Amino acid sequence: MNDLATLKSDMEGCSRCSHCKWVPMAQIKSWRFAKICPSVDRYNFHAYSGGGKLIASNSILEGRSEVTDPVMEIVYRCQLCGACQVSCQAYRDDIDLADVLLALRAKCVTEGYVLPEHLLMIESMKKEDNTLGLLKADRGVWAKDLDLIDINTQKVEVLFHAGCRYSYDEDLRSSVRNWVRLFRNAGVDLGAAGPEESCCGGRAFEMGYQGEMKNFAEDMIGRIKASGAKLLVTPCSDCYYTFKYLYPKNGMDAGLRVLHAVEYADLLIKQGRLKLGKCASLRVTYHDPCHLGRRGEIYKMGWNGVNKLHRPVRFKQMGNLGIFDPPRNVIRSIPGLDLVEMERIREYSWCCGAGGGVLEAFPDFADWTARDRIEEARAAGAEAIVTACPWCERVFKDAIAAGGDPMKVYDVIDLITMSWGG
Amino acid sequence: MAKKEDLARIVGPERVVTEEDALIAYSFDSSFVKGERPECIVKPRGLDEIQRLVKLANDQGFALVPCSSHGPHSRGDTVPTASGSVIVDLSEMKAILRVDQRNKVAMIDPGVTFAELQTEVEKQGLRIEMPLLPRKTKSVVGSLLEREPTTGPKYNWDAIDPLCCLELVFGTGDLFRTGNAAGPGSLEEQWASGQAQKMPMGPAQTDIARLIQGAQGSLGIVTWATIKLELMPALSKGFFVAGQTLDELIAFTYQILWRKFPDTCLILNNVNLAAIAGLDPKDLPPWTLLYSLSGLTHLPEERLTYMEQDLAEIAGEFKVTPRRNLAGVAADRMVDLASRPSEEPYWKFRKRGACQDVFFLTTLDRTPEFIQAMDGLTREFGLTRENLGVYLQPIRHGTGCHLEFNLMYNPNRPEDSARLPALFERASRACLDLGGFFSRPYGLWSELAYAKCPDTVMALRKVKNIFDPRGVMNPGKLCFKKEA
Amino acid sequence: MKLLPKDVYRELADALGEENISQEPAVLDGYAWQPAMNLTNQKWIPRPAAVILPATTEEVQTIVRICNQRQVKFKAHSTGWAAWGGPSQEGELQIDLRRMNRILELDEKNKFAVVEPYVCCGQLQSEAMKKGLTCHIIGAGPNTSALASATSAWGYGGTGLSTGYSGRNVLGVEWVLPDGEVLQLGSPGSHAGWFSGDGPGPGLRGIMRGFSGTQGSLGVFTKCAVKLFPWYGPPQPRVEGILLDVETDVPETEKMFFVVAPSFKKYADISYEIGNAEIAYWFCRSPLNAGVDLFMPRAGDRLFESKPLRALLKAFQHLGVALLSSPSKREVEYQEKVLRKITVEHGCILLDLSKAPGYGFWWWLMGVRSIPTALTFRAGGDFLTSYGSPVEYDNAIRQAEVAQECKQKYIDQGYFKDDMSDIGWGGIYEGTANWGHCETAAMFDRRDGQAEGRFKYLEDSARTTIEHTLGLGLSNLPPGAWKVYGPQLHNYHLWEARIKKAFDPNSVGDEQWYVPSIDEIEPKESSSDEQ
């Protein structure tokens, strides 16, 4: 966890080149989809960009300005999607932009500059162990009749962590259930915590309530250790990011391998343990969830220097080692599907709009961001946008429903299920 | 009113011309511009005299009309508008001050003609990009200051090309040098450091040469200029492409410009091609594209070979046929003709003895609209198609096109002379209405063109007020009319 | 902190909407952080009094008119890199043009595009390529505004050999003058399309800019037509990766070479020859030590400490990168043959990069999209650049030679990163023209607080350009430089100052990077004018 003051050199290193606003220059393919930062693209003032937030943070730190209501809007109207960092770090070794964004939020929260919508979420997390304000007791309902091994009482090899959104969002329930069926089909015995599963805490960290994550992490790690699991599989990209990046970055080690469900499916297909059927002919495009893609990149431990100019490149979180190919491999392995790519993909993908507490506090901005992505999918010639994150799926589905758009939205598991005739 | 003795003190009495015939000759030209008889003609020999003349004009309040070419003039820009004007005849300033072979640039006086410059630079294996068959007496500096289009769009990067740096005297009497010629360092120091006054921009954040270009002498007088030169090709081959319609040639022309193949590249209708080549228009196709390919410093034959092979493929794709001869004339001969000043009589006058030009800028793809309109108009005025020359000159790599109609007529036929002014005016208005850009607004065109851009007029008057606040430089031209 | 008078703010907010104006200090500081070209000891440049985001020419006009009525100075920027885009004093209004971001026209046949200020070169190029065209991209990179480099700033890019210089690629322009009037330069002013920027009559582009632009000191450019140039590669190449990891498929008819000359003189000679032979799409000097420093600055630190490796790199000092490009195999073969002949004749080494694995990186990033120069940020986030006047190429190379000596002194004193001094970058422009530029950047980390010593390098480099007659270079145009160089160059500053007065009668355009009105420079002249 970085205090804002420890990142002053990062802030002062900003050259104001504005690469943080654009898709990496090598990847600009059109006028229309050249922008990378939803925040500055929607609200325009430079302070909304990644670099602008570095500058604003420095300004606040130096006492040139204060956190006010408009500043809070700048801080929180940001999905923390991490695209700015990818574009910045192509050129810079000494700026960890995403760390500054997180530290700025933490400072705001510490000093009481908080949003009521975020507080509600935090309250829900504290009280009900989930981000959605629903009853903890209902958390395991999604797994009813699936006869998952109860890790609270039994040891397991593979632990399945559904995450808050999948556990409670009834629209997405079939997805999470189908993941379980899929892995079962491959002969994997899965365990789950049922109603005892709790939030990973990643959202709290992102919204600036960094201390809150610690409680969830400790709870989670304790349960994992008790279960004896060697592998944790989650279909939720947010949770994945938390396990792969936030926990280790903050010195917390769950002590087991973590795979996203699509990674695991890809692995099982490669091992020949999973065979997929044929789908009806459909042209699809894959949306890289930020938390699975660039931000899903494993935390690169091991460098403890002071001057980041001397940090070897291999320790930079450049986002290019995120999970990009496994979901595509799975889609490509389903006959009948035609996978077309959008312009902004992989580590330079455009965000769905839901992250960073934006969906809760600024739903119109989340919707605006999602619509931009849907338009990009359409421009690619896709009939459906496929993703691997319940948050992305939610915001896309809502945007499409509100706009009466013919674009379809699927989770990767939906396609697999369809290939089985489901 | 200029005091002749003061003028004589500056340039010497023998260089102040007051003979009636000479003055009358300057009071009109072959355009329809009506003017005043000048007070006298002075023939300065250099910067110092010019600067003193301009200062005198400011002090005594008389107008100066700079003129760098010998006549006959045809645009009206050197016809004085103000009474008591003094013609500043620069046509005898003929020094070719420097030719820099390595940097391919020449520094010349304003009176140097194309033929004179070409003869000199040829000795060093260089050539000047030239307008289409300029008249023999045409000054290089005068032509380029008027933005006359040159025939090689490939070498024409910007509107100012191939004009580079200028030394000039503003209407205030101040000396200025533009581009890199401004400094730092004297010209000699610059030459010693490898410079050759070729870079035209500036100095600093202003580009005075651009203001002077197109000003028709209304902002200052140029005392020398540097001119960008090109290498004389080791080998050159000319080609014709005949077209029954213009459209087929336009499509092909765009393509070869995209490939950056041709040096010379222009389109003529049969009337103009006939006039230049000495043929009968009836023996020629309606439209002809003329282009040349060149072999340069290295492996010239091989260069020509690959270009010809590639072009043959492109021609096949566009269903046109490049040919080396047309109606008994070799394309090489035409390219050669198009690279030199016109023999006498001037090519536009050969057919009927006189010609009025209507020209403007547009884009190549839009030219057929204008041509169609002009066809209709000439018919309406009883000018037969055989007397309407058309010349299309792609400029600036083909981003624009100079479109020129040559209305050829017999000045000794009263009916011709009577209808021409009206046709000229109708044609000009029609082309303007169709979106022709009269970037060089002479005579009548200045009223028509500036009526379309009041914002430009306002800005130009501010500029005029800076560089010629007392209005001594060629008053009455462009948008600098008295009533302003 | 100086804010706008409340009623002025209200008037602007009413005109453009509350969401498009701000005087929130943290927002304003977003415009006060401009380390590049901030030639002061201060970390921050003056904070604007407000920032405003127009979306149309009419809105720009409204803003400028209000500024005139209320005597508020303004500064507009497009993509907004470097201190010249920001205010020079507190109390100014910052106009951020990022909402004006459309490509209004892309004329395939006539090879030009009409763009608004916030269209970056990368966007324009990607659209142009789809039509077999490309645009000039300046060295600062494809994230820069295509309009700004054409109308307002310097404008040299690596592809200058085939795509010219931004300031000479301008066609029609729409310009909100400092007094709020709209002026359309050239053909658009006569409703005749955007294909021409000069006339009727004198070319008013001459007051818009010279070799340099006025950096936003003389109004706001709202639209601009720029020339486009033939592009012979694929409409949208397959590109994977984002920078140093880029992989792509290079067409057979695109070939790239390293040309290593034995001396400054020989490098100049081959540049002349390549221009005269009308070959190559790209030919640009890029000393190998500069490449090492850009691509692996930390490794460079180690390498440069080793004398033998320094010597080895020095052998590749006069390195030029040549890209041959054509849709035709025959043409590329011809060009390669000529290139080989030229290099042999001049005792140069020619390395065919096209045969090297990973060659696509060089082709796409360097040869086409002009990206790597932005890696100058890697050394420490900041750099100064100097020399680089556009001039006959013999002289340009002489600039690299002089710069090498001048810069080394400052490297020795620890002001700049050791990059072996000569990283003189630049090539020949405009095919056969034989003029070009060669600028020498110096990299540093501004955070170490040694600003002052570094600015002396700029002064020194400016001084040596005069001593050696090296043209008016990039180091000769910082704020106030006209005081020194104006008198040496026919008092150009006085003419600019008169233009400033005529077009900005209320002096509302921030003149820091241009000149003040003649009223301020020579008050006597203006008072006698008035009489």
PDB file of all heavy atoms in Angstrom, chain B residues 114-139:
ATOM      1  N   PHE B 114      13.590  33.507 -67.937  1.00  0.00           N
ATOM      2  CA  PHE B 114      13.726  32.050 -67.833  1.00  0.00           C
ATOM      3  C   PHE B 114      14.836  31.545 -68.752  1.00  0.00           C
ATOM      4  O   PHE B 114      15.637  30.694 -68.375  1.00  0.00           O
ATOM      5  CB  PHE B 114      12.404  31.369 -68.172  1.00  0.00           C
ATOM      6  CG  PHE B 114      11.413  31.423 -67.043  1.00  0.00           C
ATOM      7  CD1 PHE B 114      10.355  32.321 -67.052  1.00  0.00           C
ATOM      8  CD2 PHE B 114      11.548  30.586 -65.949  1.00  0.00           C
ATOM      9  CE1 PHE B 114       9.455  32.377 -66.012  1.00  0.00           C
ATOM     10  CE2 PHE B 114      10.641  30.632 -64.895  1.00  0.00           C
ATOM     11  CZ  PHE B 114       9.589  31.536 -64.917  1.00  0.00           C
ATOM     12  N   ALA B 115      14.858  32.078 -69.952  1.00  0.00           N
ATOM     13  CA  ALA B 115      15.866  31.588 -70.905  1.00  0.00           C
ATOM     14  C   ALA B 115      17.268  31.909 -70.395  1.00  0.00           C
ATOM     15  O   ALA B 115      18.178  31.076 -70.480  1.00  0.00           O
ATOM     16  CB  ALA B 115      15.626  32.221 -72.265  1.00  0.00           C
ATOM     17  N   GLU B 116      17.418  33.102 -69.852  1.00  0.00           N
ATOM     18  CA  GLU B 116      18.741  33.497 -69.359  1.00  0.00           C
ATOM     19  C   GLU B 116      19.179  32.612 -68.191  1.00  0.00           C
ATOM     20  O   GLU B 116      20.325  32.156 -68.133  1.00  0.00           O
ATOM     21  CB  GLU B 116      18.715  34.971 -68.921  1.00  0.00           C
ATOM     22  CG  GLU B 116      18.633  35.928 -70.099  1.00  0.00           C
ATOM     23  CD  GLU B 116      18.129  37.310 -69.736  1.00  0.00           C
ATOM     24  OE1 GLU B 116      17.634  37.511 -68.603  1.00  0.00           O
ATOM     25  OE2 GLU B 116      18.189  38.201 -70.604  1.00  0.00           O
ATOM     26  N   LEU B 117      18.269  32.368 -67.314  1.00  0.00           N
ATOM     27  CA  LEU B 117      18.620  31.538 -66.160  1.00  0.00           C
ATOM     28  C   LEU B 117      18.886  30.098 -66.595  1.00  0.00           C
ATOM     29  O   LEU B 117      19.852  29.467 -66.165  1.00  0.00           O
ATOM     30  CB  LEU B 117      17.506  31.588 -65.103  1.00  0.00           C
ATOM     31  CG  LEU B 117      17.764  30.736 -63.858  1.00  0.00           C
ATOM     32  CD1 LEU B 117      19.037  31.173 -63.136  1.00  0.00           C
ATOM     33  CD2 LEU B 117      16.578  30.818 -62.887  1.00  0.00           C
ATOM     34  N   GLN B 118      18.016  29.607 -67.456  1.00  0.00           N
ATOM     35  CA  GLN B 118      18.160  28.222 -67.890  1.00  0.00           C
ATOM     36  C   GLN B 118      19.512  27.998 -68.569  1.00  0.00           C
ATOM     37  O   GLN B 118      20.195  27.017 -68.311  1.00  0.00           O
ATOM     38  CB  GLN B 118      16.993  27.850 -68.810  1.00  0.00           C
ATOM     39  CG  GLN B 118      16.944  26.392 -69.211  1.00  0.00           C
ATOM     40  CD  GLN B 118      16.894  25.454 -68.012  1.00  0.00           C
ATOM     41  OE1 GLN B 118      16.165  25.694 -67.048  1.00  0.00           O
ATOM     42  NE2 GLN B 118      17.705  24.402 -68.040  1.00  0.00           N
ATOM     43  N   THR B 119      19.878  28.937 -69.420  1.00  0.00           N
ATOM     44  CA  THR B 119      21.161  28.820 -70.131  1.00  0.00           C
ATOM     45  C   THR B 119      22.301  28.721 -69.127  1.00  0.00           C
ATOM     46  O   THR B 119      23.234  27.928 -69.291  1.00  0.00           O
ATOM     47  CB  THR B 119      21.362  30.056 -71.040  1.00  0.00           C
ATOM     48  OG1 THR B 119      20.222  30.165 -71.879  1.00  0.00           O
ATOM     49  CG2 THR B 119      22.623  29.941 -71.869  1.00  0.00           C
ATOM     50  N   GLU B 120      22.219  29.512 -68.096  1.00  0.00           N
ATOM     51  CA  GLU B 120      23.311  29.559 -67.129  1.00  0.00           C
ATOM     52  C   GLU B 120      23.361  28.290 -66.262  1.00  0.00           C
ATOM     53  O   GLU B 120      24.420  27.709 -66.046  1.00  0.00           O
ATOM     54  CB  GLU B 120      23.125  30.800 -66.240  1.00  0.00           C
ATOM     55  CG  GLU B 120      24.330  31.162 -65.411  1.00  0.00           C
ATOM     56  CD  GLU B 120      25.588  31.417 -66.240  1.00  0.00           C
ATOM     57  OE1 GLU B 120      25.479  31.887 -67.384  1.00  0.00           O
ATOM     58  OE2 GLU B 120      26.696  31.107 -65.736  1.00  0.00           O
ATOM     59  N   VAL B 121      22.207  27.877 -65.776  1.00  0.00           N
ATOM     60  CA  VAL B 121      22.236  26.745 -64.837  1.00  0.00           C
ATOM     61  C   VAL B 121      22.464  25.415 -65.551  1.00  0.00           C
ATOM     62  O   VAL B 121      22.976  24.474 -64.955  1.00  0.00           O
ATOM     63  CB  VAL B 121      20.965  26.689 -63.949  1.00  0.00           C
ATOM     64  CG1 VAL B 121      20.828  27.956 -63.142  1.00  0.00           C
ATOM     65  CG2 VAL B 121      19.716  26.378 -64.752  1.00  0.00           C
ATOM     66  N   GLU B 122      22.099  25.388 -66.817  1.00  0.00           N
ATOM     67  CA  GLU B 122      22.359  24.166 -67.603  1.00  0.00           C
ATOM     68  C   GLU B 122      23.832  23.799 -67.596  1.00  0.00           C
ATOM     69  O   GLU B 122      24.198  22.619 -67.615  1.00  0.00           O
ATOM     70  CB  GLU B 122      21.904  24.379 -69.050  1.00  0.00           C
ATOM     71  CG  GLU B 122      20.533  23.824 -69.328  1.00  0.00           C
ATOM     72  CD  GLU B 122      20.039  24.140 -70.743  1.00  0.00           C
ATOM     73  OE1 GLU B 122      20.894  24.383 -71.632  1.00  0.00           O
ATOM     74  OE2 GLU B 122      18.831  24.145 -70.917  1.00  0.00           O
ATOM     75  N   LYS B 123      24.660  24.830 -67.526  1.00  0.00           N
ATOM     76  CA  LYS B 123      26.108  24.596 -67.526  1.00  0.00           C
ATOM     77  C   LYS B 123      26.516  23.761 -66.318  1.00  0.00           C
ATOM     78  O   LYS B 123      27.559  23.135 -66.313  1.00  0.00           O
ATOM     79  CB  LYS B 123      26.862  25.932 -67.503  1.00  0.00           C
ATOM     80  CG  LYS B 123      26.680  26.778 -68.745  1.00  0.00           C
ATOM     81  CD  LYS B 123      27.354  28.134 -68.560  1.00  0.00           C
ATOM     82  CE  LYS B 123      26.971  29.100 -69.663  1.00  0.00           C
ATOM     83  NZ  LYS B 123      27.284  30.490 -69.319  1.00  0.00           N
ATOM     84  N   GLN B 124      25.720  23.813 -65.294  1.00  0.00           N
ATOM     85  CA  GLN B 124      26.045  23.048 -64.080  1.00  0.00           C
ATOM     86  C   GLN B 124      25.115  21.849 -63.908  1.00  0.00           C
ATOM     87  O   GLN B 124      24.970  21.303 -62.824  1.00  0.00           O
ATOM     88  CB  GLN B 124      25.947  23.962 -62.867  1.00  0.00           C
ATOM     89  CG  GLN B 124      26.870  25.166 -62.991  1.00  0.00           C
ATOM     90  CD  GLN B 124      27.251  25.753 -61.643  1.00  0.00           C
ATOM     91  OE1 GLN B 124      27.408  25.032 -60.676  1.00  0.00           O
ATOM     92  NE2 GLN B 124      27.397  27.062 -61.616  1.00  0.00           N
ATOM     93  N   GLY B 125      24.498  21.483 -65.006  1.00  0.00           N
ATOM     94  CA  GLY B 125      23.655  20.285 -64.968  1.00  0.00           C
ATOM     95  C   GLY B 125      22.348  20.490 -64.231  1.00  0.00           C
ATOM     96  O   GLY B 125      21.761  19.536 -63.709  1.00  0.00           O
ATOM     97  N   LEU B 126      21.880  21.738 -64.199  1.00  0.00           N
ATOM     98  CA  LEU B 126      20.661  22.037 -63.446  1.00  0.00           C
ATOM     99  C   LEU B 126      19.592  22.607 -64.364  1.00  0.00           C
ATOM    100  O   LEU B 126      19.865  22.986 -65.508  1.00  0.00           O
ATOM    101  CB  LEU B 126      20.990  23.043 -62.333  1.00  0.00           C
ATOM    102  CG  LEU B 126      22.037  22.578 -61.313  1.00  0.00           C
ATOM    103  CD1 LEU B 126      22.491  23.737 -60.437  1.00  0.00           C
ATOM    104  CD2 LEU B 126      21.473  21.452 -60.451  1.00  0.00           C
ATOM    105  N   ARG B 127      18.396  22.679 -63.850  1.00  0.00           N
ATOM    106  CA  ARG B 127      17.300  23.250 -64.627  1.00  0.00           C
ATOM    107  C   ARG B 127      16.326  23.941 -63.684  1.00  0.00           C
ATOM    108  O   ARG B 127      16.284  23.656 -62.495  1.00  0.00           O
ATOM    109  CB  ARG B 127      16.576  22.178 -65.443  1.00  0.00           C
ATOM    110  CG  ARG B 127      15.872  21.165 -64.573  1.00  0.00           C
ATOM    111  CD  ARG B 127      15.248  20.055 -65.394  1.00  0.00           C
ATOM    112  NE  ARG B 127      14.677  19.059 -64.507  1.00  0.00           N
ATOM    113  CZ  ARG B 127      13.449  19.127 -63.997  1.00  0.00           C
ATOM    114  NH1 ARG B 127      12.651  20.126 -64.309  1.00  0.00           N
ATOM    115  NH2 ARG B 127      13.012  18.197 -63.179  1.00  0.00           N
ATOM    116  N   ILE B 128      15.547  24.833 -64.283  1.00  0.00           N
ATOM    117  CA  ILE B 128      14.540  25.553 -63.499  1.00  0.00           C
ATOM    118  C   ILE B 128      13.163  24.997 -63.823  1.00  0.00           C
ATOM    119  O   ILE B 128      12.844  24.755 -64.983  1.00  0.00           O
ATOM    120  CB  ILE B 128      14.621  27.086 -63.784  1.00  0.00           C
ATOM    121  CG1 ILE B 128      13.364  27.843 -63.333  1.00  0.00           C
ATOM    122  CG2 ILE B 128      14.839  27.410 -65.254  1.00  0.00           C
ATOM    123  CD1 ILE B 128      13.435  28.286 -61.926  1.00  0.00           C
ATOM    124  N   GLU B 129      12.373  24.778 -62.806  1.00  0.00           N
ATOM    125  CA  GLU B 129      10.973  24.403 -63.015  1.00  0.00           C
ATOM    126  C   GLU B 129      10.258  25.631 -63.560  1.00  0.00           C
ATOM    127  O   GLU B 129      10.268  26.696 -62.947  1.00  0.00           O
ATOM    128  CB  GLU B 129      10.340  23.985 -61.686  1.00  0.00           C
ATOM    129  CG  GLU B 129      10.620  22.560 -61.303  1.00  0.00           C
ATOM    130  CD  GLU B 129       9.857  21.581 -62.171  1.00  0.00           C
ATOM    131  OE1 GLU B 129       8.618  21.678 -62.239  1.00  0.00           O
ATOM    132  OE2 GLU B 129      10.500  20.722 -62.798  1.00  0.00           O
ATOM    133  N   MET B 130       9.614  25.475 -64.698  1.00  0.00           N
ATOM    134  CA  MET B 130       9.127  26.624 -65.456  1.00  0.00           C
ATOM    135  C   MET B 130       7.617  26.552 -65.665  1.00  0.00           C
ATOM    136  O   MET B 130       7.073  25.457 -65.732  1.00  0.00           O
ATOM    137  CB  MET B 130       9.819  26.567 -66.819  1.00  0.00           C
ATOM    138  CG  MET B 130      10.045  27.870 -67.474  1.00  0.00           C
ATOM    139  SD  MET B 130      10.939  27.651 -69.013  1.00  0.00           S
ATOM    140  CE  MET B 130      12.599  27.411 -68.485  1.00  0.00           C
ATOM    141  N   PRO B 131       6.982  27.684 -65.790  1.00  0.00           N
ATOM    142  CA  PRO B 131       5.567  27.630 -66.207  1.00  0.00           C
ATOM    143  C   PRO B 131       5.507  27.136 -67.662  1.00  0.00           C
ATOM    144  O   PRO B 131       6.534  27.070 -68.334  1.00  0.00           O
ATOM    145  CB  PRO B 131       5.090  29.073 -66.121  1.00  0.00           C
ATOM    146  CG  PRO B 131       6.197  29.859 -65.533  1.00  0.00           C
ATOM    147  CD  PRO B 131       7.450  29.058 -65.623  1.00  0.00           C
ATOM    148  N   LEU B 132       4.342  26.863 -68.126  1.00  0.00           N
ATOM    149  CA  LEU B 132       4.192  26.345 -69.487  1.00  0.00           C
ATOM    150  C   LEU B 132       4.505  27.438 -70.509  1.00  0.00           C
ATOM    151  O   LEU B 132       3.790  28.434 -70.599  1.00  0.00           O
ATOM    152  CB  LEU B 132       2.758  25.837 -69.694  1.00  0.00           C
ATOM    153  CG  LEU B 132       2.463  25.231 -71.060  1.00  0.00           C
ATOM    154  CD1 LEU B 132       3.268  23.950 -71.280  1.00  0.00           C
ATOM    155  CD2 LEU B 132       0.978  24.962 -71.211  1.00  0.00           C
ATOM    156  N   LEU B 133       5.588  27.233 -71.225  1.00  0.00           N
ATOM    157  CA  LEU B 133       6.010  28.144 -72.285  1.00  0.00           C
ATOM    158  C   LEU B 133       5.802  29.622 -71.934  1.00  0.00           C
ATOM    159  O   LEU B 133       4.984  30.309 -72.562  1.00  0.00           O
ATOM    160  CB  LEU B 133       5.260  27.832 -73.592  1.00  0.00           C
ATOM    161  CG  LEU B 133       5.761  26.652 -74.391  1.00  0.00           C
ATOM    162  CD1 LEU B 133       5.154  25.367 -73.846  1.00  0.00           C
ATOM    163  CD2 LEU B 133       5.420  26.807 -75.858  1.00  0.00           C
ATOM    164  N   PRO B 134       6.535  30.133 -70.965  1.00  0.00           N
ATOM    165  CA  PRO B 134       6.381  31.564 -70.671  1.00  0.00           C
ATOM    166  C   PRO B 134       6.853  32.386 -71.864  1.00  0.00           C
ATOM    167  O   PRO B 134       7.669  31.899 -72.671  1.00  0.00           O
ATOM    168  CB  PRO B 134       7.302  31.763 -69.471  1.00  0.00           C
ATOM    169  CG  PRO B 134       8.315  30.671 -69.567  1.00  0.00           C
ATOM    170  CD  PRO B 134       7.592  29.501 -70.182  1.00  0.00           C
ATOM    171  N   ARG B 135       6.355  33.597 -71.923  1.00  0.00           N
ATOM    172  CA  ARG B 135       6.833  34.407 -73.047  1.00  0.00           C
ATOM    173  C   ARG B 135       8.300  34.737 -72.816  1.00  0.00           C
ATOM    174  O   ARG B 135       8.786  34.768 -71.676  1.00  0.00           O
ATOM    175  CB  ARG B 135       5.974  35.645 -73.230  1.00  0.00           C
ATOM    176  CG  ARG B 135       6.074  36.653 -72.165  1.00  0.00           C
ATOM    177  CD  ARG B 135       5.351  37.950 -72.552  1.00  0.00           C
ATOM    178  NE  ARG B 135       5.926  39.026 -71.780  1.00  0.00           N
ATOM    179  CZ  ARG B 135       5.522  39.350 -70.568  1.00  0.00           C
ATOM    180  NH1 ARG B 135       4.490  38.705 -70.012  1.00  0.00           N
ATOM    181  NH2 ARG B 135       6.105  40.320 -69.908  1.00  0.00           N
ATOM    182  N   LYS B 136       9.010  35.002 -73.902  1.00  0.00           N
ATOM    183  CA  LYS B 136      10.473  35.109 -73.840  1.00  0.00           C
ATOM    184  C   LYS B 136      10.964  36.162 -72.868  1.00  0.00           C
ATOM    185  O   LYS B 136      12.024  36.035 -72.273  1.00  0.00           O
ATOM    186  CB  LYS B 136      11.022  35.419 -75.246  1.00  0.00           C
ATOM    187  CG  LYS B 136      11.355  34.159 -76.003  1.00  0.00           C
ATOM    188  CD  LYS B 136      12.257  34.453 -77.165  1.00  0.00           C
ATOM    189  CE  LYS B 136      12.846  33.153 -77.678  1.00  0.00           C
ATOM    190  NZ  LYS B 136      13.419  33.273 -78.992  1.00  0.00           N
ATOM    191  N   THR B 137      10.185  37.216 -72.728  1.00  0.00           N
ATOM    192  CA  THR B 137      10.653  38.335 -71.909  1.00  0.00           C
ATOM    193  C   THR B 137      10.246  38.190 -70.444  1.00  0.00           C
ATOM    194  O   THR B 137      10.453  39.095 -69.650  1.00  0.00           O
ATOM    195  CB  THR B 137      10.044  39.645 -72.446  1.00  0.00           C
ATOM    196  OG1 THR B 137       8.616  39.466 -72.513  1.00  0.00           O
ATOM    197  CG2 THR B 137      10.582  39.987 -73.816  1.00  0.00           C
ATOM    198  N   LYS B 138       9.668  37.067 -70.121  1.00  0.00           N
ATOM    199  CA  LYS B 138       9.112  36.925 -68.766  1.00  0.00           C
ATOM    200  C   LYS B 138      10.221  36.777 -67.725  1.00  0.00           C
ATOM    201  O   LYS B 138      11.090  35.903 -67.851  1.00  0.00           O
ATOM    202  CB  LYS B 138       8.186  35.708 -68.710  1.00  0.00           C
ATOM    203  CG  LYS B 138       7.432  35.562 -67.413  1.00  0.00           C
ATOM    204  CD  LYS B 138       6.323  36.575 -67.300  1.00  0.00           C
ATOM    205  CE  LYS B 138       5.784  36.671 -65.893  1.00  0.00           C
ATOM    206  NZ  LYS B 138       4.744  37.696 -65.772  1.00  0.00           N
ATOM    207  N   SER B 139      10.135  37.596 -66.706  1.00  0.00           N
ATOM    208  CA  SER B 139      11.099  37.509 -65.605  1.00  0.00           C
ATOM    209  C   SER B 139      10.788  36.295 -64.735  1.00  0.00           C
ATOM    210  O   SER B 139       9.625  36.015 -64.430  1.00  0.00           O
ATOM    211  CB  SER B 139      10.988  38.791 -64.773  1.00  0.00           C
ATOM    212  OG  SER B 139      11.125  38.528 -63.402  1.00  0.00           O
TER     213      SER B 139
END
